[in-house]
Amino acid sequence: MKSLIVSDKATISRLAERLKHAESHAQYQRIQCVLIRATLGSSAVEIAQLLGWSTATVHVIHSRWAKEGDAVFELRGRGGRHHQYLSLEQEQALLAPFVARAQGGGVLTVTEIQQAYEQHTGRQVAPSTVYRLLDRHGWRKIVPRPQHSKADVAAQAAFKKTAPSGTPRGRAPG
């Protein structure tokens, strides 16, 4: 069987140095996968058991490393806004008049922002789109407190037990 990984000292030292500077756990494991083969000459089954991977994954990493070299260790990021209508800068520009009004003490409704968003993009969007937009830019819904922070609960309970004078319960027996 042809060896995909050459175990010379230069390759091993380069991989060992790269292992020290791995940016993520996934990148660390990929480097380990190649380094274990280069240093110990372990089989794909043994490496898979060590890393908790399938044997097929180890074969893929070894094959890609033989073809691509160190590029196999560079992982592309996950996620992202792939279906956005506006960029972050365009969203900030859209929210600018609403920010000015809010800083002046004005009340904003999501429907107003949604209408402006739809007019700007030329598409209808769900309210959840606008809520996510506001969350992305650090906005939050402010609601009044259910009770005052300095309220005395004991005094309120005592007040409820005493009836005001002039009411049938508050009259002195007579």
Side-chain angles (χ1 to χ4, degrees):
M1 180 172 116
K2 177 179 99 170
S3 178
L4 296 174
I5 300 172
V6 180
S7 58
D8 60 340
K9 289 188 178 186
T11 303
I12 293 172
S13 63
R14 190 178 79 236
L15 288 171
E17 189 60 34
R18 187 163 187 131
L19 189 66
K20 292 178 188 174
H21 302 291
E23 297 171 356
S24 67
H25 179 68
Q27 189 180 39
Y28 190 86
Q29 280 190 317
R30 284 176 173 230
I31 298 167
Q32 274 185 328
C33 179
V34 176
L35 186 60
I36 291 170
R37 178 64 178 248
T39 55
L40 303 176
S42 300
S43 68
V45 175
E46 294 169 338
I47 296 171
Q49 287 177 342
L50 285 171
L51 298 178
W53 288 358
S54 71
T55 309
T57 304
V58 174
H59 283 299
V60 167
I61 296 294
H62 288 171
S63 175
R64 283 188 57 205
W65 191 78
K67 291 176 189 171
E68 302 170 21
D70 286 353
V72 75
F73 305 134
E74 302 304 324
L75 304 171
R76 57 185 178 93
R78 294 182 176 183
R81 295 180 61 211
H82 300 292
H83 303 290
Q84 63 187 3
Y85 292 126
L86 302 173
S87 68
L88 289 174
E89 294 79 21
Q90 290 172 325
E91 287 178 353
Q92 286 175 340
L94 177 74
L95 289 175
F98 296 106
V99 170
R101 197 167 82 192
Q103 288 175 340
V107 176
L108 302 177
T109 61
V110 172
T111 4
E112 293 174 346
I113 299 171
Q114 182 179 2
Q115 288 170 354
Y117 189 89
E118 288 174 348
Q119 187 177 20
H120 193 273
T121 60
R123 297 174 172 260
Q124 284 191 338
V125 294
S128 62
T129 303
V130 179
Y131 280 110
R132 286 194 318 271
L133 165 112
L134 294 173
D135 182 52
R136 219 177 359 261
H137 292 278
W139 288 46
R140 61 187 177 85
K141 183 178 178 181
I142 299 176
V143 294
R145 293 185 304 257
Q147 66 183 29
H148 196 275
S149 58
K150 296 181 181 176
D152 186 5
V153 179
Q156 289 176 351
F159 179 77
K160 288 178 185 177
K161 291 180 181 178
T162 60
S165 62
T167 62
R169 284 183 45 213
R171 288 193 192 131

